[in-house]
Amino acid sequence: MTTENDDPKSLEATVALSQIAWHRSGQTCEICGRGAHLRLGQRYALTLCRDHEYLVGERHPDDGRIRDPWARHVGGSVLPEGYDDPKAMKDGLLRMWSNGDADMRDIQEILQMSRASVMYAAIEAGYGLHLEGDGVGADEKGAEFARLIETTKDDGTRH
């Protein structure tokens, strides 16, 4: 949050609102908005409720012991360098969806990607497509899959 007003009260209010948002973000599930806790995976962390905590994948040994590893304090994160790895997070989530271990809507929410983008990324990563049980009808899946195939570049290697 920022303000263009130099008034001390406006600046103080902006800082207070920012702190409230920071605090609440650590208690709100990134998927559904219910009460949640920070969950630490091997390479990334997400704030998730009990229903969605599986999305963090294999747990880091410090999962459940560190309240806020990114707290604003001298020294920064208490976790190893390279922990917050968006590429590893995307890859892990795509693999989970491809294996049928994660719901498409949850993956879309975390990665902020469309269904077609998730499917395309899974194909590009060398994973299969999981089209069962995600609440979309067979006709809609077929049409979406056809659009996905149309949009892929034909470099002579796709069959």
Side-chain angles (χ1 to χ4, degrees):
M1 298 181 102
T2 61
T3 181
E4 292 181 13
N5 191 336
D6 290 337
D7 175 47
K9 286 187 178 185
S10 294
L11 293 172
E12 188 176 304
T14 301
V15 169
L17 288 171
S18 177
Q19 292 298 320
I20 290 169
W22 176 269
H23 180 70
R24 286 186 181 167
S25 72
Q27 299 176 341
T28 306
C29 180
E30 296 181 34
I31 302 299
C32 65
R34 290 186 300 210
H37 297 284
L38 181 67
R39 304 310 319 186
L40 303 179
Q42 287 296 324
R43 298 289 295 164
Y44 55 92
L46 298 167
T47 304
L48 302 166
C49 67
R50 288 188 186 269
D51 290 344
H52 294 111
E53 66 185 12
Y54 72 94
L55 291 167
V56 80
E58 186 180 346
R59 301 293 168 86
H60 188 279
D62 289 331
D63 182 53
R65 294 192 305 159
I66 298 175
R67 169 89 176 108
D68 184 4
W70 295 279
R72 296 175 183 169
H73 59 78
V74 178
S77 176
V78 296
L79 296 175
E81 186 177 325
Y83 180 81
D84 188 17
D85 185 351
K87 196 172 191 177
M89 179 172 123
K90 181 178 177 182
D91 187 66
L93 290 169
L94 290 173
R95 186 179 312 117
M96 286 177 71
W97 172 75
S98 181
N99 292 335
D101 297 331
D103 186 74
M104 170 62 90
R105 289 184 200 106
D106 295 342
I107 302 304
Q108 285 179 269
E109 181 69 27
I110 292 174
L111 297 179
Q112 294 296 295
M113 294 170 68
S114 68
R115 287 177 53 84
S117 295
V118 169
M119 288 192 284
Y120 183 80
I123 290 171
E124 287 298 305
Y127 304 130
L129 296 178
H130 180 76
L131 300 175
E132 299 297 323
D134 60 4
V136 177
D139 290 341
E140 193 176 331
K141 286 180 190 172
E144 185 175 29
F145 190 57
R147 282 192 304 275
L148 178 67
I149 291 171
E150 270 182 43
T151 62
T152 60
K153 296 177 183 173
D154 183 9
D155 60 3
T157 61
R158 299 185 192 276
H159 303 348

